Amino acid sequence: MTLPDDIDAKKATAAAWFRHVRDDLVGRLESMEAEGGIDSGNPAGKFEINPWSRPDGGGGEMGLLHGRVFEKAGVHISIVHGRFSEEFAKQMPHTEAGAEFWSAGLSVIIHPWSPHVPAAHMNTRMIVTGKYWFGGGGDLTPVLDRRRTHTDPDSVDFHAAYKAACDAHPGVDYARYKQWCDEYFFLKHRNEPRGVGGIFYDNHNTGDWGADFAFTQDVGRAFLDVYPALVRRNFTRPWGDADRTEQLIRRGRYVEFNLLYDRGTTFGLRTGGNVEAILSSMPPEVRWP
């Protein structure tokens, strides 16, 4: 399959959408900061948006918030291009004809103050090598063991949102993408999942760019709708020192996964991305027992 003649226009359309979702989510998170939760002693946070450039082509914008509801929230966009290293090209699809690539995407990671509010991750991306494809997904990480169940209301609503996003698109297999998420976000060395899952997909190309892009848009919209609702239902619930300790230990597992297994971290570092943005997924405070 060759690339569409209008691939440059499709790249621009996808990149503009990722920026739109970034702006929308930034506004929603800042609104919740203004509303507040249990007083963490911090003022309401605002995102700091800092552009960065990649010497080998492209760049992006790193958005970080430190506030009273969200201890740390990162919402980043990037549009990069260039050539993979010979070694890395062998690991990427459709590079037989050359190592040139283009990639645009949105990456979201949120670590709330309240242990009752689950940490969350979402990303969507479009990559072009000898072929285009989409990837991404969203997953939820409750940090209290008593909330890390698939019957917890947060888990139920999060999974329902992503099932609806998948079911709206013929040929998108929710069960497959849910299982892919469960298998991907798994700490093999501890034999335990990172969280309660969601969906994960990669190399998504049905041959219909419009349909593939529409699905990726709905992945972003699902997160925009469901995650703020989960925050608001939880951020005024009382918690104590034992809950905070449990939260920090669970965050340690998050660090372990991102450094040992996460492909997005590897992709960003190996393609000369912004190191601060890539590693902003790390929690601001963590402990190991």
Side-chain angles (χ1 to χ4, degrees):
M1 179 183 295
T2 59
L3 291 172
D5 292 338
D6 62 344
I7 189 63
D8 287 340
K10 288 176 165 52
K11 290 177 183 177
T13 298
W17 165 252
F18 299 140
R19 179 179 293 275
H20 168 75
V21 177
R22 190 279 305 272
D23 293 344
D24 193 339
L25 184 56
V26 161
R28 296 184 193 220
L29 297 181
E30 288 184 345
S31 291
M32 286 184 282
E33 281 288 322
E35 294 170 29
I38 291 179
D39 187 9
S40 64
N42 296 324
K46 288 278 191 178
F47 274 91
E48 292 187 8
I49 307 294
N50 294 307
W52 57 273
S53 60
R54 177 176 175 273
D56 293 332
E61 293 177 2
M62 175 180 174
L64 276 180
L65 177 151
H66 299 275
R68 61 184 180 182
V69 174
F70 305 107
E71 192 170 358
K72 183 180 185 181
V75 184
H76 314 308
I77 53 175
S78 64
I79 309 171
V80 298
H81 57 88
R83 289 180 58 87
F84 293 131
S85 68
E86 182 177 348
E87 176 189 359
F88 194 49
K90 295 175 182 177
Q91 303 173 37
M92 296 299 294
H94 319 297
T95 56
E96 297 83 3
E100 292 79 12
F101 76 93
W102 177 93
S103 174
L106 164 76
S107 178
V108 177
I109 180 65
I110 302 172
H111 294 291
W113 274 106
S114 171
H116 287 291
V117 181
H121 161 254
M122 187 271 287
N123 75 86
T124 53
R125 59 189 175 273
M126 176 181 169
I127 298 177
V128 180
T129 53
K131 182 180 177 180
Y132 76 82
W133 73 94
F134 291 92
D139 66 285
L140 201 67
T141 304
V143 297
L144 300 176
D145 282 345
R146 62 187 182 274
R147 304 293 306 272
R148 286 170 61 81
T149 71
H150 286 281
T151 57
D152 187 272
D154 291 352
S155 298
V156 171
D157 289 353
F158 192 81
H159 283 284
Y162 273 107
K163 185 176 188 303
C166 292
D167 289 350
H169 298 273
V172 174
D173 188 343
Y174 166 73
R176 175 176 171 241
Y177 286 172
K178 179 181 182 298
Q179 180 180 0
W180 199 343
C181 184
D182 291 340
E183 293 173 351
Y184 178 72
F185 291 104
F186 192 83
L187 285 80
K188 301 178 183 66
H189 64 290
R190 292 189 180 272
N191 194 34
E192 66 181 35
R194 186 172 84 170
V196 295
I199 65 167
F200 179 83
Y201 65 103
D202 201 8
N203 203 19
H204 183 84
N205 178 343
T206 66
D208 183 338
W209 186 90
D212 298 339
F213 180 48
F215 167 58
T216 292
Q217 289 176 295
D218 278 349
V219 170
R221 292 187 186 106
F223 188 86
L224 287 172
D225 290 340
V226 71
Y227 187 68
L230 304 187
V231 175
R232 286 190 170 95
R233 78 164 52 143
N234 285 296
F235 70 176
T236 58
R237 296 182 63 171
W239 51 274
D241 291 344
D243 295 323
R244 175 65 171 176
T245 297
E246 189 175 349
Q247 177 192 50
L248 297 183
I249 292 172
R250 179 58 57 186
R251 285 179 173 179
R253 306 289 206 269
Y254 209 97
V255 170
E256 291 171 18
F257 178 87
N258 280 22
L259 292 180
L260 293 173
Y261 305 117
D262 189 71
R263 294 181 200 165
T265 301
T266 300
F267 182 90
L269 294 175
R270 287 195 164 187
T271 55
N274 182 281
V275 175
E276 295 300 323
I278 295 163
L279 296 182
S280 72
S281 63
M282 300 304 170
E285 188 173 345
V286 62
R287 69 180 290 178
W288 279 265

